[in-house]
Amino acid sequence: MTLAELRGARRRREDGEAHAGGLHATTADYIRVAVALFIITSIEVAIYYIEGLRGVLVELFLALSGLKFLLVVLWYMHLRFDSRLFSFMFAFGLSMAIALFIAMLATMKAGLL
Amino acid sequence: MAQRTHAVEHLETSTGLDNRKLAMWLFLASEALFFGSLIATYLLYRGQSTEGPYPSDVFNIPFTSVSSFILLMSSTTMALAVGAAHRGRLHQMRTWLLCTALLGISFLAGQAFEFTEFVHKGLTLSTNLFGSSFYLLTGFHGAHVSVGVLILLSLWVMALRGRIGQHNALNVELAGLYWHFVDIVWILIFTLVYLLDPLAEGR
Amino acid sequence: MAQTTFDGSPVGVLEALRQLRRQAASYQGIWSWIATVDHKRIGIMYGITAFLFFLAGGVEALAIRLQLARPGAQVLDQEVYNQMFTMHGTTMIFLVVMPLSAAFFNLIVPLQIGARDVAFPRLNAFSYWTFLMGGIFLYSSIFFGGAPNGGWFGYAPLTEKAFNPGHGIDFWALGLQILGISSLASGFNFIVTILNMRAPGMSLLRMPVFTWMTLVTSFLIIFAMPVLAVGLFELSFDRLFGANFFNPLKGGTPLLWQHLFWLFGHPEVYILILPAMGIVSEVLPTFARKPLFGYPFVVFSGIAIAFMSFGVWVHHMYTTGLGPVANSAFGVSTILIAVPTGVKIFNWLGTLWGGDIRFKTPLLFALGFITMFVVGGLTGVTHSMVPSDYQQQDTYYVVAHFHQVLFGGAIFALFAGIYYWFPKFTGKLLDERLGQLHFWLMLIGFNVTFQPMMILGLLGMPRRIQTYPTGMGWDLWNMIATVGAFLIALSVLVFIINVIITARRGQRAGADPWDGRTLEWSIPSPVPPYNFARIPLVRARDDFWHQKYREDEAGRPIPVVAGGAHQEHEEEHAQHIHMPSPSFFPLIAAMGFPIIAYGFVLADYALVAAGAVVLLFGIYGWALEPASE
């Protein structure tokens, strides 16, 4: 579902659909993202209750929430269509935060579980 | 050089990007470190509390899931508000701004209710490590949501007075960036704190 | 002042504010300073305030040295001693070096990039007022039972309520939060300014190194300060609301405090030194009459240092029992950070080599920086080795190291900047002979104070002790250090005298008294409010130098006819330059913070609410007021 969205958005860009001052996501895009967020969250809540998936729970949740994160950042926050500089700044801050705190937790031998 | 919010009179910048938008993204990058520290504290102390209540004693996943949906939907309405502002559809913009604010308030009400329940079950800031790290993290998140609601309501009131329109849609866009960021922090919190909790006690 | 009658109603108040605002735009009178949004005035206010705190911190240092001059002395009792060294460190770092750097960011950066002001002038004013409020708040602790006493690094659980029941630590934690807001605002402002407001033709790699270092430092600020903020919130929540972040009885660990503090603290020391390095990179080329050697290397090593500074923090924690893996990893990263630093040193030496050197006061201080910083840096390398750090940790060797780099380094460079840029903003040159006297006295005084501390450290004298027994072999070195401290004080007095004399009858300086290379020297001294009558078009690095000189076949500079600073005939063009209007709201908003903070200290939540109202009033007023009218 998400891949189709991505492809859909790219096709629209190639069709040259532009907005004043730059390319924009459309209202339809926003609704699609909303639906995707709803579905992903439902999946997350569902698998929380599935005992059999306990072993891979961390990986699954990180992947799913990572997906939601990307959807919001790329479409709602418009990074997909905006200057690379914004993406760079944000990604930089985020990477720093992740790297530093993984290092800190590792130093304290704290498991992420 | 006059710094105005009117896009039309906008002075050229060396990067071609708006000063305030650049500042907002820098602010959000900085906030990543802020919430990162709070989350790291929570993760460090996960499973380390010497006494209960523990997460499984208090968490109500269905309830929090509904709260999460509400916040996610508020991001959708926010994006619609920004879109409407850019297109000069002021009535729609006002409606979506108000919706976003109301959804935000609902989320906060949910948080307040949840915290009250937790306190009744014996979990306060000073009970144990879980209480301290949980309330600090979610409390600061809630504070950020509250500030966002204040900004949204202010924009709504100004819009009612005709002071927000297509020419200064950037104001709505900036509020949107902040609001979405607060939402994605919640995405992380919901996953790392609520959903990953069973593993903390080795269940 | 007001011709209209003041009627006290909300409308009347707003009208009065508008009148004051218009009057402030005239640059006359006290209101014009209080409501200023001009980066030059803000820079001057930062500089003066920071210097006053420097005197306070210096007095604290003299008190410490008086106490330690002899074994068993009781000049200061233990509690007062702890407060003294806590306030000395906190003052010098947060209320002196950082604001002095901010003074230079404000004064110099817009001029160097050919801009008329910073990106957010009111935010700039807000940064200054918030800094002032934070400093006053911190020092007001003296009247509430005593200054903080937990060291500038506030290690928990010593700083927890159980062991530190007074208000002092609360003043420290909340004061630093306020100061953090000031720095963050400044960081955002300067990044946007540097990225977005450069004159046409000024690409990033044509920017002066001081501007580059400002950019890099600002990034350090915006990424490091939030981590400190969280640590401080956790400490405050423990103390004020009974949380357990550092409470060992509930499973809290003191290591969390140390990690959060040093995750901030290590980048912080680079925040303290990179602007100083930027100043040196400006002064050397001017007084050697040569371009900076290896400009791209100097710039990229600055970036490398900043980036790597986030990866070394555990070297402050080698002795906390984290184990050999963590210690080794951070030992390696710490040694590596010496590399880009070394690159800078060699490039500075390369700048001087073969130059036509004029030994004026700014250059003397810059040379002092280089020599003192190299020594300090080398002692840092000895710290990076885990086994040797095991002996050095918590001894006076560490005290020697960081004073070597922060005083011998940063302070010397900041004085270089003061002597260098003083004429630009005042139109007068500081007296050269007094300047040289200041330099030599300070250099000698500094070394007499701190070299003995290296020996004391190696002899095992611990830090943060109020007194020591005789017979340890420490007595003589402590006495010598105290004498040195008073020599430093004397040198500062010489500086103050110099400033006073210069204000009264100083030698007039033109636009370009040093034959400089960068754009700030191309405009009149003092600088007119609009900076540049015409925004320059930049064609090269050191564009102003190239307007003044061509090179002959041997590479020697030949003056160009009609090159050089443009003066009064440009003023006609300046009549219709519209500058941002002054504003009172940054100050009003800033006043909210100490009120909120006092509320928390005194557990008076009505006061907290009142402070929040003031803050919101300031913010809303600011948001709704047009940036210029």
Side-chain angles (χ1 to χ4, degrees), chain C residues 574-589:
Chain C
Q575 292 314 316
H576 20 266
I577 296 175
H578 195 132
M579 296 298 289
S581 301
S583 173
F584 294 99
F585 289 112
L587 169 58
I588 295 173

Side-chain angles (χ1 to χ4, degrees), chain B residues 1-3 13-15 17 19-20 26-27 30 33-34 37 41 45 125-129 132 136 140 150 154, chain C residues 120 188 191-192 195-198 222-223 226 230 233-234 241-245 250-253 578 620 627-628:
Chain B
M1 53 142 281
Q3 185 69 26
T13 60
S14 313
T15 57
L17 302 171
N19 280 349
R20 301 196 311 159
L26 288 168
F27 174 67
S30 165
L33 274 298
F34 183 79
S37 309
T41 300
Y45 282 152
L125 187 70
S126 42
T127 311
N128 54 10
L129 293 177
S132 300
L136 195 73
F140 265 109
L150 206 59
S154 305
Chain C
F120 304 109
F188 297 128
I191 294 175
V192 177
L195 290 181
N196 260 3
M197 296 183 51
R198 289 166 280 140
I222 70 170
F223 290 135
V230 170
F233 276 124
E234 292 178 1
F241 307 123
N244 298 305
F245 293 102
K250 295 266 174 123
T253 169
H578 195 132
Y620 272 94
S628 62

Side-chain angles (χ1 to χ4, degrees), chain C residues 458-482:
Chain C
L458 293 172
L459 289 176
M461 180 175 174
R463 291 173 72 172
R464 311 171 202 139
I465 51 173
Q466 175 246 4
T467 191
Y468 53 94
T470 191
M472 302 292 295
W474 300 341
D475 303 10
L476 176 65
W477 303 116
N478 269 295
M479 177 56 76
I480 293 175
T482 300

Side-chain angles (χ1 to χ4, degrees), chain A residues 27-99:
Chain A
T27 306
D29 283 336
Y30 292 147
I31 304 298
R32 282 202 195 87
V33 169
V35 170
L37 290 172
F38 182 92
I39 292 177
I40 297 173
T41 311
S42 309
I43 295 173
E44 283 182 315
V45 175
I47 67 179
Y48 173 81
Y49 290 106
I50 299 175
E51 288 291 335
L53 286 171
R54 278 296 137 85
V56 290
L57 214 56
V58 177
E59 291 80 358
L60 275 175
F61 279 145
L62 287 179
L64 288 170
S65 56
L67 205 51
K68 287 197 292 189
F69 182 98
L70 280 175
L71 283 170
V72 174
V73 168
L74 291 174
W75 269 273
Y76 286 169
M77 296 175 88
H78 229 250
L79 277 187
R80 190 149 206 272
F81 311 97
D82 275 345
S83 162
R84 285 258 160 79
L85 186 61
F86 296 141
S87 302
F88 176 75
M89 304 276 192
F90 187 64
F92 191 76
L94 201 62
S95 317
M96 289 285 276
I98 294 174

